[in-house]
Amino acid sequence: MARPEQVLLLEPQHELRFRGPFTDVVTTTLKLANPTDRNVCFKVKTTAPRRYCVRPNSGVIDAGTSINVSVMLQPFDYDPNEKSKHKFMVQSLLAPPDMTDTEGVWKEAKPEDLMDSKLRCVFDMPAENEKTHDMDSNKISSSLSKSESSTLSMKSMASSLDDGEVKKIMEECKRLQTEVQRLREENKQIREDDGLRMRKSTIMPSQHSSPAVRVKEEGLSSRIIALIVLFFVVGVIVGKLAL
């Protein structure tokens, strides 16, 4: 007696393709869809169980739903002259309405109740130029990931400061610019006064006034340097925010 036609819809229908190189686990997906109004039990079997890992390899598909089965080919030494003889079979049967034990249903099932579909395995080994292209693509993806990570870190730093804080920093920069300009003009005036005093003195060239002027001048120079350093640091912060 012929077996009934498979009620499950398989995608792909006839073959499972695995793309090399096969130095690592290669995974392909088998979709099983149940278009009926009854639950369907299924099992996925292979002629080479040691070469593949199948998850899930059995179960129940509810009416009108589908499930994805991951078929993982284990690493092996690929020989292009050797044709793959590996095959998979999807076996199914309609679940009884009062089913409580799936394994019991399979044991009690009659041969005429079982439905099956067979798929062959196909191994695709990419050409050398395709391998090089894949490697270049991986490098580009890695560079883009690093660039995106850097951009995100900059955005994260900028988002940590709200508009009010940025406004305060800008105002502080303007105030520092004004202060530096005022100190420069004051320092320039002191130098001019000191030069005039030196020219008027003929006997004792600024023995009493010069030290005081130099002390004041050194104090102003120190303040200018400190303000310039502070202005530079604030400028660097604002520049990063602008980026």
Side-chain angles (χ1 to χ4, degrees):
M1 182 177 179
R3 290 189 176 186
E5 186 178 352
Q6 175 69 270
V7 295
L8 295 179
L9 301 178
L10 279 63
E11 185 181 343
Q13 295 182 353
H14 305 295
E15 60 185 25
L16 295 174
R17 305 193 75 90
F18 299 88
R19 184 173 176 81
F22 303 102
T23 55
D24 201 353
V25 176
V26 180
T27 303
T28 190
T29 301
L30 172 63
K31 182 179 180 180
L32 305 178
N34 177 11
T36 70
D37 57 357
R38 292 182 58 180
N39 294 349
V40 176
C41 301
F42 76 93
K43 284 186 177 182
V44 181
K45 300 179 180 180
T46 179
T47 56
R50 294 185 179 182
R51 300 285 293 273
Y52 299 90
C53 181
V54 182
R55 293 290 183 274
N57 59 4
S58 64
V60 179
I61 305 175
D62 294 336
T65 64
S66 62
I67 188 172
N68 288 329
V69 177
S70 296
V71 182
M72 292 163 278
L73 172 64
Q74 304 305 302
F76 72 102
D77 294 329
Y78 175 71
D79 184 359
N81 297 321
E82 179 182 355
K83 289 187 177 181
S84 172
K85 298 180 181 180
H86 302 167
K87 291 181 175 63
F88 274 81
M89 181 175 69
V90 178
Q91 201 170 45
S92 64
L93 63 85
L94 295 174
D98 56 348
M99 181 184 68
T100 56
D101 181 14
T102 306
E103 289 300 323
V105 171
W106 283 105
K107 289 179 181 179
E108 297 174 1
K110 298 177 182 179
E112 58 268 21
D113 295 333
L114 300 177
M115 299 167 282
D116 59 60
S117 299
K118 295 180 180 179
L119 301 95
R120 68 188 186 95
C121 297
V122 178
F123 299 153
D124 293 331
M125 176 62 77
E128 289 298 325
N129 57 345
E130 292 181 354
K131 290 181 182 179
T132 304
H133 176 72
D134 291 341
M135 292 177 63
D136 292 340
S137 298
N138 291 335
K139 290 180 180 179
I140 293 173
S141 299
S142 177
S143 300
L144 288 175
S145 298
K146 291 180 180 179
S147 177
E148 289 175 358
S149 176
S150 176
T151 303
L152 288 174
S153 64
M154 291 297 295
K155 288 182 178 179
S156 176
M157 182 181 69
S159 62
S160 63
L161 295 175
D162 55 25
D163 293 340
E165 292 176 333
V166 173
K167 186 176 180 180
K168 289 179 181 179
I169 292 175
M170 296 301 293
E171 290 176 352
E172 181 66 15
C173 286
K174 291 180 181 179
R175 190 188 68 79
L176 289 173
Q177 285 179 331
T178 304
E179 181 69 14
V180 169
Q181 185 63 29
R182 186 186 65 80
L183 291 173
R184 284 176 177 172
E185 292 177 356
E186 186 176 343
N187 192 31
K188 181 180 179 182
Q189 185 63 39
I190 291 174
R191 290 178 181 275
E192 291 177 353
D193 292 344
D194 186 50
L196 181 61
R197 199 174 291 110
M198 289 287 292
R199 286 193 297 271
K200 289 183 178 180
S201 177
T202 55
I203 301 174
M204 297 181 65
S206 304
Q207 291 182 354
H208 301 288
S209 59
S210 293
V213 171
R214 281 196 297 272
V215 169
K216 186 175 182 180
E217 189 174 306
E218 289 174 357
L220 288 172
S221 299
S222 299
R223 290 175 62 190
I224 290 175
I225 293 173
L227 286 170
I228 289 174
V229 172
L230 179 59
F231 176 70
F232 174 76
V233 172
V234 174
V236 170
I237 296 174
V238 173
K240 288 185 177 180
L241 289 175
L243 292 174

